[in-house]
PDB file of all heavy atoms in Angstrom:
ATOM      1  N   PRO A  54     143.216 185.873 216.020  1.00 63.00           N
ATOM      2  CA  PRO A  54     142.224 186.307 215.032  1.00 63.00           C
ATOM      3  C   PRO A  54     142.076 185.340 213.905  1.00 63.00           C
ATOM      4  O   PRO A  54     143.026 184.677 213.531  1.00 63.00           O
ATOM      5  CB  PRO A  54     142.832 187.601 214.514  1.00 63.00           C
ATOM      6  CG  PRO A  54     144.301 187.494 214.830  1.00 63.00           C
ATOM      7  CD  PRO A  54     144.449 186.716 216.087  1.00 63.00           C
ATOM      8  N   THR A  55     140.821 185.104 213.519  1.00 85.00           N
ATOM      9  CA  THR A  55     140.589 184.106 212.477  1.00 85.00           C
ATOM     10  C   THR A  55     140.717 184.799 211.145  1.00 85.00           C
ATOM     11  O   THR A  55     140.263 185.980 210.956  1.00 85.00           O
ATOM     12  CB  THR A  55     139.123 183.495 212.561  1.00 85.00           C
ATOM     13  OG1 THR A  55     138.211 184.599 212.585  1.00 85.00           O
ATOM     14  CG2 THR A  55     139.000 182.752 213.878  1.00 85.00           C
ATOM     15  N   VAL A  56     141.276 184.043 210.199  1.00 91.00           N
ATOM     16  CA  VAL A  56     141.378 184.653 208.813  1.00 91.00           C
ATOM     17  C   VAL A  56     140.276 184.356 208.067  1.00 91.00           C
ATOM     18  O   VAL A  56     139.852 183.100 207.866  1.00 91.00           O
ATOM     19  CB  VAL A  56     142.742 184.064 208.217  1.00 91.00           C
ATOM     20  CG1 VAL A  56     142.903 184.704 206.813  1.00 91.00           C
ATOM     21  CG2 VAL A  56     143.936 184.382 209.013  1.00 91.00           C
ATOM     22  N   PRO A  57     139.548 185.318 207.490  1.00 95.00           N
ATOM     23  CA  PRO A  57     138.326 185.019 206.720  1.00 95.00           C
ATOM     24  C   PRO A  57     138.559 184.116 205.543  1.00 95.00           C
ATOM     25  O   PRO A  57     139.634 184.136 204.870  1.00 95.00           O
ATOM     26  CB  PRO A  57     137.822 186.429 206.216  1.00 95.00           C
ATOM     27  CG  PRO A  57     138.599 187.388 207.116  1.00 95.00           C
ATOM     28  CD  PRO A  57     139.875 186.704 207.445  1.00 95.00           C
ATOM     29  N   MET A  58     137.611 183.198 205.278  1.00 97.00           N
ATOM     30  CA  MET A  58     137.681 182.371 204.159  1.00 97.00           C
ATOM     31  C   MET A  58     137.391 183.165 202.870  1.00 97.00           C
ATOM     32  O   MET A  58     136.801 184.256 202.878  1.00 97.00           O
ATOM     33  CB  MET A  58     136.618 181.287 204.270  1.00 97.00           C
ATOM     34  CG  MET A  58     136.877 180.364 205.378  1.00 97.00           C
ATOM     35  SD  MET A  58     138.310 179.202 205.170  1.00 97.00           S
ATOM     36  CE  MET A  58     138.005 178.076 206.377  1.00 97.00           C
ATOM     37  N   GLU A  59     137.978 182.656 201.774  1.00 98.00           N
ATOM     38  CA  GLU A  59     137.691 183.302 200.441  1.00 98.00           C
ATOM     39  C   GLU A  59     136.754 182.318 199.683  1.00 98.00           C
ATOM     40  O   GLU A  59     136.871 181.106 199.808  1.00 98.00           O
ATOM     41  CB  GLU A  59     139.006 183.538 199.691  1.00 98.00           C
ATOM     42  CG  GLU A  59     139.998 184.414 200.391  1.00 98.00           C
ATOM     43  CD  GLU A  59     139.680 185.960 200.020  1.00 98.00           C
ATOM     44  OE1 GLU A  59     138.695 186.148 199.314  1.00 98.00           O
ATOM     45  OE2 GLU A  59     140.471 186.783 200.490  1.00 98.00           O
ATOM     46  N   ARG A  60     136.026 182.921 198.686  1.00 98.00           N
ATOM     47  CA  ARG A  60     135.242 182.069 197.881  1.00 98.00           C
ATOM     48  C   ARG A  60     135.417 182.438 196.416  1.00 98.00           C
ATOM     49  O   ARG A  60     135.568 183.644 196.114  1.00 98.00           O
ATOM     50  CB  ARG A  60     133.745 182.120 198.213  1.00 98.00           C
ATOM     51  CG  ARG A  60     133.437 181.320 199.436  1.00 98.00           C
ATOM     52  CD  ARG A  60     131.943 181.015 199.514  1.00 98.00           C
ATOM     53  NE  ARG A  60     131.695 180.057 200.650  1.00 98.00           N
ATOM     54  CZ  ARG A  60     130.664 179.416 200.888  1.00 98.00           C
ATOM     55  NH1 ARG A  60     129.656 179.497 200.000  1.00 98.00           N
ATOM     56  NH2 ARG A  60     130.478 178.622 202.023  1.00 98.00           N
ATOM     57  N   VAL A  61     135.609 181.431 195.525  1.00 98.00           N
ATOM     58  CA  VAL A  61     135.819 181.638 194.092  1.00 98.00           C
ATOM     59  C   VAL A  61     134.843 180.772 193.418  1.00 98.00           C
ATOM     60  O   VAL A  61     134.635 179.545 193.741  1.00 98.00           O
ATOM     61  CB  VAL A  61     137.316 181.318 193.769  1.00 98.00           C
ATOM     62  CG1 VAL A  61     137.485 181.107 192.244  1.00 98.00           C
ATOM     63  CG2 VAL A  61     138.253 182.317 194.299  1.00 98.00           C
ATOM     64  N   ALA A  62     134.274 181.267 192.325  1.00 98.00           N
ATOM     65  CA  ALA A  62     133.370 180.498 191.493  1.00 98.00           C
ATOM     66  C   ALA A  62     134.070 180.199 190.179  1.00 98.00           C
ATOM     67  O   ALA A  62     134.732 181.034 189.581  1.00 98.00           O
ATOM     68  CB  ALA A  62     132.149 181.189 191.196  1.00 98.00           C
ATOM     69  N   LEU A  63     133.999 178.928 189.768  1.00 98.00           N
ATOM     70  CA  LEU A  63     134.492 178.467 188.438  1.00 98.00           C
ATOM     71  C   LEU A  63     133.216 178.262 187.621  1.00 98.00           C
ATOM     72  O   LEU A  63     132.493 177.291 187.896  1.00 98.00           O
ATOM     73  CB  LEU A  63     135.331 177.218 188.641  1.00 98.00           C
ATOM     74  CG  LEU A  63     136.540 177.261 189.565  1.00 98.00           C
ATOM     75  CD1 LEU A  63     137.300 175.952 189.527  1.00 98.00           C
ATOM     76  CD2 LEU A  63     137.514 178.335 189.099  1.00 98.00           C
ATOM     77  N   GLU A  64     133.076 179.028 186.613  1.00 98.00           N
ATOM     78  CA  GLU A  64     131.970 178.821 185.685  1.00 98.00           C
ATOM     79  C   GLU A  64     132.545 177.940 184.563  1.00 98.00           C
ATOM     80  O   GLU A  64     133.288 178.443 183.721  1.00 98.00           O
ATOM     81  CB  GLU A  64     131.305 180.200 185.111  1.00 98.00           C
ATOM     82  CG  GLU A  64     130.960 181.130 186.226  1.00 98.00           C
ATOM     83  CD  GLU A  64     129.653 180.786 186.888  1.00 98.00           C
ATOM     84  OE1 GLU A  64     129.029 179.724 186.473  1.00 98.00           O
ATOM     85  OE2 GLU A  64     129.284 181.416 187.838  1.00 98.00           O
ATOM     86  N   THR A  65     132.142 176.695 184.444  1.00 98.00           N
ATOM     87  CA  THR A  65     132.762 175.873 183.488  1.00 98.00           C
ATOM     88  C   THR A  65     131.647 175.378 182.434  1.00 98.00           C
ATOM     89  O   THR A  65     130.421 175.540 182.665  1.00 98.00           O
ATOM     90  CB  THR A  65     133.265 174.610 184.199  1.00 98.00           C
ATOM     91  OG1 THR A  65     132.299 173.616 184.400  1.00 98.00           O
ATOM     92  CG2 THR A  65     133.963 174.954 185.473  1.00 98.00           C
ATOM     93  N   SER A  66     132.116 174.789 181.447  1.00 98.00           N
ATOM     94  CA  SER A  66     131.255 174.288 180.351  1.00 98.00           C
ATOM     95  C   SER A  66     130.428 173.081 180.942  1.00 98.00           C
ATOM     96  O   SER A  66     129.422 172.707 180.257  1.00 98.00           O
ATOM     97  CB  SER A  66     131.982 173.875 179.162  1.00 98.00           C
ATOM     98  OG  SER A  66     132.954 172.853 179.466  1.00 98.00           O
ATOM     99  N   ALA A  67     130.801 172.603 182.028  1.00 98.00           N
ATOM    100  CA  ALA A  67     130.053 171.443 182.647  1.00 98.00           C
ATOM    101  C   ALA A  67     129.113 171.968 183.746  1.00 98.00           C
ATOM    102  O   ALA A  67     128.252 171.186 184.291  1.00 98.00           O
ATOM    103  CB  ALA A  67     130.992 170.393 183.248  1.00 98.00           C
ATOM    104  N   GLY A  68     129.318 173.164 184.190  1.00 98.00           N
ATOM    105  CA  GLY A  68     128.444 173.731 185.267  1.00 98.00           C
ATOM    106  C   GLY A  68     129.306 174.511 186.243  1.00 98.00           C
ATOM    107  O   GLY A  68     130.450 174.724 186.096  1.00 98.00           O
ATOM    108  N   ARG A  69     128.609 175.022 187.262  1.00 98.00           N
ATOM    109  CA  ARG A  69     129.213 176.013 188.226  1.00 98.00           C
ATOM    110  C   ARG A  69     129.818 175.254 189.457  1.00 98.00           C
ATOM    111  O   ARG A  69     129.221 174.399 190.015  1.00 98.00           O
ATOM    112  CB  ARG A  69     128.176 177.007 188.678  1.00 98.00           C
ATOM    113  CG  ARG A  69     128.641 177.984 189.771  1.00 98.00           C
ATOM    114  CD  ARG A  69     127.475 178.863 190.103  1.00 98.00           C
ATOM    115  NE  ARG A  69     127.721 179.711 191.331  1.00 98.00           N
ATOM    116  CZ  ARG A  69     128.126 180.964 191.329  1.00 98.00           C
ATOM    117  NH1 ARG A  69     128.367 181.511 190.201  1.00 98.00           N
ATOM    118  NH2 ARG A  69     128.298 181.644 192.407  1.00 98.00           N
ATOM    119  N   ILE A  70     131.071 175.625 189.812  1.00 98.00           N
ATOM    120  CA  ILE A  70     131.729 175.099 190.975  1.00 98.00           C
ATOM    121  C   ILE A  70     132.111 176.199 191.828  1.00 98.00           C
ATOM    122  O   ILE A  70     132.698 177.187 191.359  1.00 98.00           O
ATOM    123  CB  ILE A  70     132.926 174.182 190.580  1.00 98.00           C
ATOM    124  CG1 ILE A  70     132.625 173.077 189.626  1.00 98.00           C
ATOM    125  CG2 ILE A  70     133.649 173.674 191.784  1.00 98.00           C
ATOM    126  CD1 ILE A  70     133.823 172.485 189.011  1.00 98.00           C
ATOM    127  N   VAL A  71     131.827 176.126 193.170  1.00 98.00           N
ATOM    128  CA  VAL A  71     132.218 177.145 194.178  1.00 98.00           C
ATOM    129  C   VAL A  71     133.171 176.609 195.047  1.00 98.00           C
ATOM    130  O   VAL A  71     132.942 175.539 195.713  1.00 98.00           O
ATOM    131  CB  VAL A  71     130.935 177.831 194.885  1.00 98.00           C
ATOM    132  CG1 VAL A  71     131.539 178.798 195.919  1.00 98.00           C
ATOM    133  CG2 VAL A  71     130.009 178.491 193.876  1.00 98.00           C
ATOM    134  N   LEU A  72     134.301 177.303 195.198  1.00 98.00           N
ATOM    135  CA  LEU A  72     135.422 176.854 196.117  1.00 98.00           C
ATOM    136  C   LEU A  72     135.436 177.764 197.267  1.00 98.00           C
ATOM    137  O   LEU A  72     135.380 178.955 197.133  1.00 98.00           O
ATOM    138  CB  LEU A  72     136.748 176.940 195.364  1.00 98.00           C
ATOM    139  CG  LEU A  72     136.838 176.106 193.950  1.00 98.00           C
ATOM    140  CD1 LEU A  72     138.115 176.510 193.275  1.00 98.00           C
ATOM    141  CD2 LEU A  72     136.739 174.661 194.225  1.00 98.00           C
ATOM    142  N   GLU A  73     135.696 177.233 198.448  1.00 98.00           N
ATOM    143  CA  GLU A  73     135.991 178.011 199.632  1.00 98.00           C
ATOM    144  C   GLU A  73     137.440 177.801 199.992  1.00 98.00           C
ATOM    145  O   GLU A  73     137.875 176.621 200.136  1.00 98.00           O
ATOM    146  CB  GLU A  73     135.099 177.457 200.773  1.00 98.00           C
ATOM    147  CG  GLU A  73     135.289 178.298 202.121  1.00 98.00           C
ATOM    148  CD  GLU A  73     134.410 177.944 203.153  1.00 98.00           C
ATOM    149  OE1 GLU A  73     134.725 176.821 203.791  1.00 98.00           O
ATOM    150  OE2 GLU A  73     133.420 178.602 203.449  1.00 98.00           O
ATOM    151  N   LEU A  74     138.288 178.862 199.976  1.00 98.00           N
ATOM    152  CA  LEU A  74     139.632 178.758 200.224  1.00 98.00           C
ATOM    153  C   LEU A  74     140.023 179.159 201.579  1.00 98.00           C
ATOM    154  O   LEU A  74     139.404 180.006 202.206  1.00 98.00           O
ATOM    155  CB  LEU A  74     140.401 179.701 199.186  1.00 98.00           C
ATOM    156  CG  LEU A  74     139.937 179.563 197.780  1.00 98.00           C
ATOM    157  CD1 LEU A  74     140.676 180.611 196.796  1.00 98.00           C
ATOM    158  CD2 LEU A  74     140.086 178.072 197.204  1.00 98.00           C
ATOM    159  N   ASP A  75     141.107 178.510 202.134  1.00 98.00           N
ATOM    160  CA  ASP A  75     141.430 178.737 203.521  1.00 98.00           C
ATOM    161  C   ASP A  75     142.819 179.487 203.630  1.00 98.00           C
ATOM    162  O   ASP A  75     143.885 178.745 203.756  1.00 98.00           O
ATOM    163  CB  ASP A  75     141.499 177.388 204.222  1.00 98.00           C
ATOM    164  CG  ASP A  75     141.637 177.501 205.709  1.00 98.00           C
ATOM    165  OD1 ASP A  75     142.024 178.578 206.221  1.00 98.00           O
ATOM    166  OD2 ASP A  75     141.263 176.511 206.451  1.00 98.00           O
ATOM    167  N   PRO A  76     142.823 180.815 203.633  1.00 98.00           N
ATOM    168  CA  PRO A  76     144.174 181.471 203.705  1.00 98.00           C
ATOM    169  C   PRO A  76     144.874 181.384 205.089  1.00 98.00           C
ATOM    170  O   PRO A  76     146.001 181.532 205.168  1.00 98.00           O
ATOM    171  CB  PRO A  76     143.834 182.917 203.389  1.00 98.00           C
ATOM    172  CG  PRO A  76     142.323 183.041 203.751  1.00 98.00           C
ATOM    173  CD  PRO A  76     141.705 181.708 203.479  1.00 98.00           C
ATOM    174  N   GLY A  77     144.068 180.992 206.081  1.00 98.00           N
ATOM    175  CA  GLY A  77     144.650 180.754 207.430  1.00 98.00           C
ATOM    176  C   GLY A  77     145.560 179.521 207.422  1.00 98.00           C
ATOM    177  O   GLY A  77     146.626 179.530 208.126  1.00 98.00           O
ATOM    178  N   LYS A  78     145.252 178.504 206.669  1.00 98.00           N
ATOM    179  CA  LYS A  78     146.006 177.282 206.589  1.00 98.00           C
ATOM    180  C   LYS A  78     147.017 177.283 205.550  1.00 98.00           C
ATOM    181  O   LYS A  78     148.108 176.628 205.633  1.00 98.00           O
ATOM    182  CB  LYS A  78     145.053 176.109 206.414  1.00 98.00           C
ATOM    183  CG  LYS A  78     144.117 175.822 207.497  1.00 98.00           C
ATOM    184  CD  LYS A  78     144.803 175.180 208.738  1.00 98.00           C
ATOM    185  CE  LYS A  78     143.732 174.737 209.765  1.00 98.00           C
ATOM    186  NZ  LYS A  78     144.351 174.110 210.883  1.00 98.00           N
ATOM    187  N   ALA A  79     146.727 177.953 204.376  1.00 98.00           N
ATOM    188  CA  ALA A  79     147.708 177.931 203.183  1.00 98.00           C
ATOM    189  C   ALA A  79     147.709 179.373 202.696  1.00 98.00           C
ATOM    190  O   ALA A  79     147.287 179.544 201.520  1.00 98.00           O
ATOM    191  CB  ALA A  79     147.168 176.973 202.126  1.00 98.00           C
ATOM    192  N   PRO A  80     148.326 180.320 203.354  1.00 98.00           N
ATOM    193  CA  PRO A  80     148.251 181.676 202.939  1.00 98.00           C
ATOM    194  C   PRO A  80     148.951 181.940 201.512  1.00 98.00           C
ATOM    195  O   PRO A  80     148.351 182.682 200.793  1.00 98.00           O
ATOM    196  CB  PRO A  80     148.923 182.429 204.040  1.00 98.00           C
ATOM    197  CG  PRO A  80     149.750 181.355 204.779  1.00 98.00           C
ATOM    198  CD  PRO A  80     149.035 180.130 204.647  1.00 98.00           C
ATOM    199  N   GLN A  81     150.048 181.367 201.339  1.00 98.00           N
ATOM    200  CA  GLN A  81     150.779 181.683 200.143  1.00 98.00           C
ATOM    201  C   GLN A  81     150.160 181.022 198.871  1.00 98.00           C
ATOM    202  O   GLN A  81     150.042 181.523 197.774  1.00 98.00           O
ATOM    203  CB  GLN A  81     152.259 181.317 200.218  1.00 98.00           C
ATOM    204  CG  GLN A  81     152.956 182.135 201.212  1.00 98.00           C
ATOM    205  CD  GLN A  81     154.503 181.839 201.239  1.00 98.00           C
ATOM    206  OE1 GLN A  81     155.246 182.232 200.325  1.00 98.00           O
ATOM    207  NE2 GLN A  81     154.961 181.104 202.293  1.00 98.00           N
ATOM    208  N   THR A  82     149.586 179.831 199.153  1.00 98.00           N
ATOM    209  CA  THR A  82     148.907 178.955 198.065  1.00 98.00           C
ATOM    210  C   THR A  82     147.612 179.681 197.685  1.00 98.00           C
ATOM    211  O   THR A  82     147.332 179.839 196.537  1.00 98.00           O
ATOM    212  CB  THR A  82     148.659 177.621 198.498  1.00 98.00           C
ATOM    213  OG1 THR A  82     149.902 177.007 198.992  1.00 98.00           O
ATOM    214  CG2 THR A  82     148.211 176.736 197.356  1.00 98.00           C
ATOM    215  N   VAL A  83     146.873 180.197 198.678  1.00 98.00           N
ATOM    216  CA  VAL A  83     145.599 180.987 198.366  1.00 98.00           C
ATOM    217  C   VAL A  83     145.919 182.217 197.702  1.00 98.00           C
ATOM    218  O   VAL A  83     145.281 182.533 196.739  1.00 98.00           O
ATOM    219  CB  VAL A  83     144.853 181.185 199.727  1.00 98.00           C
ATOM    220  CG1 VAL A  83     143.638 182.102 199.411  1.00 98.00           C
ATOM    221  CG2 VAL A  83     144.333 179.827 200.235  1.00 98.00           C
ATOM    222  N   ALA A  84     146.961 182.949 198.196  1.00 98.00           N
ATOM    223  CA  ALA A  84     147.262 184.296 197.533  1.00 98.00           C
ATOM    224  C   ALA A  84     147.627 183.960 196.037  1.00 98.00           C
ATOM    225  O   ALA A  84     147.249 184.819 195.165  1.00 98.00           O
ATOM    226  CB  ALA A  84     148.383 184.959 198.275  1.00 98.00           C
TER     227      ALA A  84
END
Side-chain angles (χ1 to χ4, degrees):
T55 56
V56 181
M58 297 291 192
E59 297 275 0
R60 287 201 173 192
V61 166
L63 303 180
E64 305 287 356
T65 82
S66 57
R69 176 182 169 96
I70 302 167
V71 177
L72 307 170
E73 184 177 75
L74 311 181
D75 192 339
K78 296 285 189 179
Q81 295 185 75
T82 309
V83 169

